[in-house]
Amino acid sequence: QKEVEQDPGPLSVPEGAIVSLNCTYSNSAFQYFMWYRQYSRKGPELLMYTYSSGNKEDGRFTAQVDKSSKYISLFIRDSQPSDSATYLCAMSEILTGGGNKLTFGTGTQLKVEL
Amino acid sequence: SAVISQKPSRDICQRGTSLTIQCQVDSQVTMMFWYRQQPGQSLTLIATANQGSEATYESGFVIDKFPISRPNLTFSTLTVSNMSPEDSSIYLCSFLGLSGGYTFGSGTRLTVV
């Protein structure tokens, strides 16, 4: 079993839809949770970063963490064609010395159609 | 926020040769990281590079194959040595920002023929 599971998609939605992207994980030591967006032939871009359980909102994006269920979600409201990309979840546990090692999901490919 | 530049953006190399990838950050960062992204797979950490000390490699990656340099707090290189087609992948550098999130370079798309 992988430490982080993420549905690879592809996920296709109409413009304006609410998108829900999800990851599950098995390592209860994970403390930090991130969502990255990666456009084709580009590096991952940090979208959201959360530390604890609960919701965090930034514009059209909401990140949700449920540590008890080991489940995280990213919601995109009013989706736009420019949101078409691969979305990667990532998480880390605290390592001694202050460095954090990121463990990524495989990414979900999202296409928002006009 | 700090900007990271990575080059080359892509290369096609002959098997048995080596390629050095460079990453430059426009401010000083303590730790830099090198990842590999293979098609259909998640990003995998190769090693962590600290300035002034040897890089720390993850399981499955060795210094002879992926030597790393970190001469100062703004620059790092990763060399892919004695390449084979299995090394064809995207290689990414990254650093931990002050906000706690990681910033990535744009990646180097390597094809070994």
Side-chain angles (χ1 to χ4, degrees):
Chain A
Q1 182 189 8
K2 293 180 180 177
E3 272 193 296
V4 179
E5 298 276 1
Q6 184 176 7
D7 188 335
L11 178 62
S12 183
V13 301
E15 183 179 9
I18 297 174
V19 177
S20 172
L21 304 167
N22 311 295
C23 287
T24 59
Y25 62 95
S26 57
N27 185 353
S28 58
F30 285 140
Q31 303 268 1
Y32 300 89
F33 304 91
M34 284 149 270
W35 285 96
Y36 285 84
R37 176 175 62 195
Q38 187 173 24
Y39 292 113
S40 180
R41 302 183 184 278
K42 300 288 186 182
E45 171 195 8
L46 180 64
L47 280 177
M48 303 284 286
Y49 168 63
T50 56
Y51 171 66
S52 60
S53 287
N55 293 353
K56 182 177 181 179
E57 189 172 319
D58 184 1
R60 296 186 295 112
F61 299 92
T62 299
Q64 193 172 78
V65 175
D66 182 347
K67 286 187 177 180
S68 62
S69 301
K70 298 189 182 69
Y71 187 88
I72 67 171
S73 299
L74 177 71
F75 298 96
I76 307 174
R77 291 184 299 280
D78 188 24
S79 56
Q80 305 294 311
S82 58
D83 294 327
S84 299
T86 297
Y87 289 80
L88 302 154
C89 64
M91 41 201 83
S92 68
E93 53 182 290
I94 297 176
L95 301 176
T96 57
N100 297 332
K101 172 186 170 181
L102 279 181
T103 301
F104 281 85
T106 53
T108 299
Q109 186 179 349
L110 171 66
K111 184 173 183 180
V112 181
E113 304 197 62
L114 290 167
Chain B
S1 58
V3 175
I4 186 167
S5 302
Q6 182 175 344
K7 61 179 181 181
S9 59
R10 62 177 62 204
D11 208 339
I12 300 173
C13 301
Q14 297 290 324
R15 66 178 68 199
T17 63
S18 298
L19 175 71
T20 295
I21 303 167
Q22 300 180 6
C23 268
Q24 178 79 51
V25 187
D26 67 355
S27 61
Q28 293 183 340
V29 296
T30 305
M31 302 175 79
M32 292 184 72
F33 306 87
W34 288 95
Y35 284 84
R36 182 171 71 182
Q37 186 176 28
Q38 294 181 308
Q41 298 187 28
S42 55
L43 277 78
T44 302
L45 181 64
I46 297 171
T48 301
N50 289 322
Q51 191 266 335
S53 63
E54 281 199 4
T56 303
Y57 288 81
E58 296 299 309
S59 176
F61 299 96
V62 295
I63 187 171
D64 290 346
K65 178 67 176 176
F66 299 101
I68 287 171
S69 77
R70 185 81 201 276
N72 57 54
L73 290 174
T74 64
F75 187 78
S76 180
T77 67
L78 169 77
T79 299
V80 186
S81 302
N82 188 25
M83 288 183 286
S84 66
E86 291 71 35
D87 295 320
S88 298
S89 188
I90 299 172
Y91 293 85
L92 295 145
C93 58
S94 172
F95 69 91
L96 178 61
L98 294 176
S99 63
Y102 289 76
T103 298
F104 284 83
S106 54
T108 297
R109 185 177 296 267
L110 171 63
T111 302
V112 183
V113 297

